[in-house]
Amino acid sequence: GTGGPGSPPLPLCGITRTEQGVWVLSTLALPLRRGPEALLAVSWRILAVGLGRVLAQMGFSSRWAFLVYYPEAERLLRLTDPAVTLYDCVDDIASQPHFASRPRLAAGLRAAEARLVASATCVTATSRPLWELRRRENPRSYYVPNVGEYAHFSRAQEPLPEPDAVRGIPRPRLFFAGA
């Protein structure tokens, strides 16, 4: 991508528009989670500069919103100035085995999440325990339960015909769908 008129090209960032009209900023794989702090700081700065250039190129000034799922992205908030920040808290990530088994990593994630929750314009939580915790940290926190199409998914145990797309795949099979 380019940084706009008079700016050097940004080889680490590119922007595309999906068929649905959503703009997607893609970066070269930057080390944003692991490595020496100096390297992480430079990586987050590169991402912030790229984001700033893309927003300017698209005509945004300070009127943009930042939707955050992963707490460590609060580092980007320290380097940018969105008009609105929404933290969608879907899990207690620091308690997951990968993080919980690494006390320093878990502590860093909890500290980042505390800064994010405190500074967010709005926090949504997908479970009541998460909401109870977040609303003590930020009064603009709301419980927004996970949703599903009950009528569709309640049939999950019913036998269904084998789809043509998988019929030729030898058994045993393992499939994954989700995030």
Side-chain angles (χ1 to χ4, degrees):
T2 64
S7 297
L10 256 180
L12 301 178
C13 296
I15 186 163
T16 56
R17 187 174 181 177
T18 67
E19 290 178 16
Q20 295 79 19
V22 175
W23 290 97
V24 178
L25 172 66
S26 300
T27 63
L28 185 66
L30 294 169
L32 299 172
R33 294 186 52 223
R34 293 187 183 150
E37 181 53 38
L39 178 62
L40 296 175
V42 168
S43 296
W44 283 101
R45 172 79 54 196
I46 290 170
L47 182 58
V49 168
L51 177 62
R53 287 184 178 177
V54 167
L55 290 172
Q57 179 182 348
M58 294 178 67
F60 287 91
S61 57
S62 63
R63 303 299 307 159
W64 63 282
F66 188 37
L67 173 60
V68 183
Y69 288 99
Y70 194 72
E72 284 180 324
E74 71 78 35
R75 292 177 74 131
L76 195 57
L77 287 175
R78 291 187 260 156
L79 299 169
T80 60
D81 189 27
V84 173
T85 300
L86 168 65
Y87 173 39
D88 188 16
C89 180
V90 298
D91 209 346
D92 180 8
I93 297 173
S95 70
Q96 294 176 353
H98 172 78
F99 296 99
S101 64
R102 295 168 176 83
R104 256 184 58 207
L105 188 58
L109 190 60
R110 288 197 191 285
E113 187 168 38
R115 289 188 300 269
L116 175 59
V117 170
S119 65
T121 309
C122 178
V123 178
T124 56
T126 57
S127 73
R128 288 197 183 275
L130 286 173
W131 172 61
E132 292 290 340
L133 178 61
R134 299 300 169 244
R135 75 180 186 156
R136 286 193 298 266
E137 300 166 333
N138 184 326
R140 297 173 311 277
S141 297
Y142 303 91
Y143 173 54
V144 181
N146 279 328
V147 299
E149 187 180 335
Y150 179 78
H152 175 76
F153 291 105
S154 65
R155 300 186 345 239
Q157 298 301 315
E158 295 176 12
L160 297 171
E162 185 175 48
D164 292 338
V166 299
R167 190 166 288 127
I169 300 173
R171 293 178 187 265
R173 302 173 185 154
L174 175 66
F175 298 96
F176 173 80

